[in-house]
Amino acid sequence: TYPDPDLSELTSDLPPEPVENTILTPEEAAEFFGKGTGYIAVNIRTGDDSSPVEGASVKITGNHSGKSFILGSAVTDSSGKTPTFELPAPETEPLRPPGSGDRVYSMYDISVTAKGFFNVRSVDVPVFDGITSVQNFSMIPLPLRMSESSETIINYNSEPVM
């Protein structure tokens, strides 16, 4: 037999897993993430895009001051869709001058789990006031004879250029 490989170097670039999941009141969420309202619609399909994934669990979290806050959760319907999530975002008015450094959006993470598939997490999804962002997930099936996995496939979103 061979010794188990040291995989600690491979995980150093991954974003930290949420340390604490706290559910916020709408007032607290507005204070941390903005007083406007943006939206996220989530669509989940199989990796080859041939069919929807029903019964997948979706969780939306936001990070503030080193803590992770749950802002929404749902389960997909027979078409692989969740209800549209309403999320706090900075108000678009008053307009901010270019280069002011103020973000005109909030960023959230979306985690998806479904029986028979690898977990997926999309990191830093931007949400703008008054706009619906659509997030499509292509779930990768677990190989045959593999038991449920706690491994997560992470998709990184680049910060919007303004």
Side-chain angles (χ1 to χ4, degrees):
T1 63
Y2 296 97
D4 289 334
D6 178 16
L7 302 177
S8 62
E9 294 177 15
L10 298 176
T11 60
S12 62
D13 292 338
L14 297 176
E17 287 291 328
V19 175
E20 179 180 331
N21 284 321
T22 305
I23 298 175
L24 296 176
T25 65
E27 294 80 21
E28 292 170 325
E31 180 182 330
F32 291 156
F33 301 104
K35 297 188 186 317
T37 303
Y39 307 91
I40 291 181
V42 179
N43 300 313
I44 302 175
R45 298 188 62 82
T46 56
D48 60 1
D49 204 30
S50 65
S51 58
V53 177
E54 181 178 5
S57 296
V58 177
K59 180 174 70 171
I60 298 183
T61 56
N63 298 306
H64 186 273
S65 301
K67 293 184 180 179
S68 179
F69 298 98
I70 298 172
L71 290 142
S73 64
V75 175
T76 56
D77 61 18
S78 61
S79 64
K81 297 180 180 191
T82 63
T84 301
F85 293 97
E86 280 190 25
L87 299 166
E91 293 176 302
T92 55
E93 296 295 330
L95 293 175
R96 294 167 181 88
S100 68
D102 292 338
R103 282 192 182 146
V104 294
Y105 55 90
S106 292
M107 291 195 301
Y108 298 100
D109 294 351
I110 303 172
S111 300
V112 179
T113 58
K115 185 175 174 80
F117 295 91
F118 283 100
N119 300 330
V120 179
R121 186 164 66 134
S122 190
V123 178
D124 294 338
V125 176
V127 174
F128 294 84
D129 185 27
I131 295 175
T132 300
S133 299
V134 178
Q135 289 293 299
N136 296 312
F137 288 87
S138 296
M139 301 298 285
I140 298 174
L142 292 171
L144 290 174
R145 297 191 180 125
M146 181 176 181
S147 61
E148 294 301 310
S149 174
S150 62
E151 293 186 39
T152 301
I153 298 168
I154 299 175
N155 299 313
Y156 295 93
N157 293 286
S158 60
E159 192 159 339
V161 178
M162 297 300 194

